[in-house]
Amino acid sequence: MTKKPLIVWTVTVGLLVLGWSYGGHAQNPVDPMTKIGIVSISQILSGSKVRNEHVQMLMEKQNELRQELEAMDQELQTLQAQLQTYKPGSEDYLTQYKELIEKQAKLEALQEFYEKSIGVQDQQWIQDFYQKILVATQKVADLKGMTMVLERSDPEFPASSDMFAMAVRTHKVLYSKGCYDITADVIAELDTEQ
């Protein structure tokens, strides 16, 4: 008879221990939000050393082009002043006038070309950089054991109606408490890859 209560007591204690250990794990589940990261593309674009260097290079190039255009404009002003010294309708006047018109057209064409060229170069660079952001984000997320990373960039206010409409269409993560922000880690990854 003493064996039966001992077996019942052992089984009961075993079940209690098993239940306690199972219950203990159930009370401290792994928070699924810790596997979700967020990243701000706008912060990366404004805080990355690589992006800032690209912007600096573009500004230097724009200044160089602006100086070239200003030199051409000065030349046009000189031609305009010289034109005033000729008798209207004379051969010298018409020759000078033709040169002035041609240089004005060249100046306007170069202004348009330089503006478009800088815009196209910047757009291509941003597209390439975005691909690098995706790779760096994946690398950081993998290192941190994340299963998902969402983009969260807060819109800037006040905003024009067009900018507000775009913010409403693109701003999808409205709340992310508990998600780990890996923006700084992604910036560091991008800057070290340089």
Side-chain angles (χ1 to χ4, degrees):
M1 279 231 158
T2 56
K3 279 187 165 183
K4 196 171 190 180
L6 182 61
I7 292 173
V8 171
W9 183 81
T10 305
V11 169
T12 305
V13 169
L15 288 174
L16 286 174
V17 168
L18 186 62
W20 175 78
S21 84
Y22 178 76
H25 290 297
Q27 290 174 352
N28 297 321
V30 174
D31 184 3
M33 297 305 285
T34 60
K35 296 214 176 234
I36 298 175
I38 58 169
V39 70
S40 171
I41 300 295
S42 63
Q43 284 181 7
I44 291 172
L45 290 175
S46 66
S48 169
K49 182 175 71 171
V50 175
R51 173 66 177 161
N52 292 336
E53 288 173 357
H54 172 71
V55 169
Q56 181 66 32
M57 184 271 304
L58 279 183
M59 289 173 60
E60 288 171 3
K61 190 169 189 174
Q62 283 178 322
N63 285 336
E64 184 180 306
L65 297 176
R66 187 177 305 117
Q67 288 174 358
E68 180 183 339
L69 294 174
E70 286 174 359
M72 289 180 72
D73 189 53
Q74 287 293 325
E75 189 178 334
L76 283 174
Q77 290 178 21
T78 302
L79 286 173
Q80 184 75 36
Q82 288 175 349
L83 185 64
Q84 301 301 320
T85 64
Y86 297 116
K87 180 179 176 188
S90 69
E91 190 65 36
D92 290 336
Y93 179 89
L94 292 174
T95 302
Q96 188 77 5
Y97 185 69
K98 179 182 177 193
E99 184 179 353
L100 177 68
I101 295 299
E102 287 173 349
K103 288 193 176 190
Q104 280 178 334
K106 183 178 179 181
L107 175 63
E108 290 171 9
L110 281 176
Q111 285 173 326
E112 185 177 333
F113 171 75
Y114 289 157
E115 185 177 309
K116 181 76 170 177
S117 173
I118 293 288
V120 167
Q121 288 175 17
D122 190 43
Q123 184 66 30
Q124 183 61 51
W125 188 91
I126 288 174
Q127 289 175 11
D128 294 343
F129 189 58
Y130 185 73
Q131 294 298 319
K132 291 178 182 178
I133 290 171
L134 295 177
V135 170
T137 299
Q138 181 180 353
K139 188 174 184 179
V140 170
D142 285 345
L143 286 172
K144 296 192 176 290
M146 295 181 172
T147 56
M148 181 184 304
V149 177
L150 304 171
E151 199 287 329
R152 178 176 181 167
S153 293
D154 293 324
E156 294 182 21
F157 294 105
S160 68
S161 60
D162 290 341
M163 292 303 288
F164 178 72
M166 186 172 78
V168 168
R169 284 193 308 271
T170 60
H171 189 208
K172 300 301 181 197
V173 178
L174 303 179
Y175 182 73
S176 60
K177 182 178 180 181
C179 296
Y180 187 71
D181 188 341
I182 62 169
T183 303
D185 299 311
V186 173
I187 291 173
E189 178 68 26
L190 289 164
D191 289 346
T192 57
E193 287 181 3
Q194 186 185 18

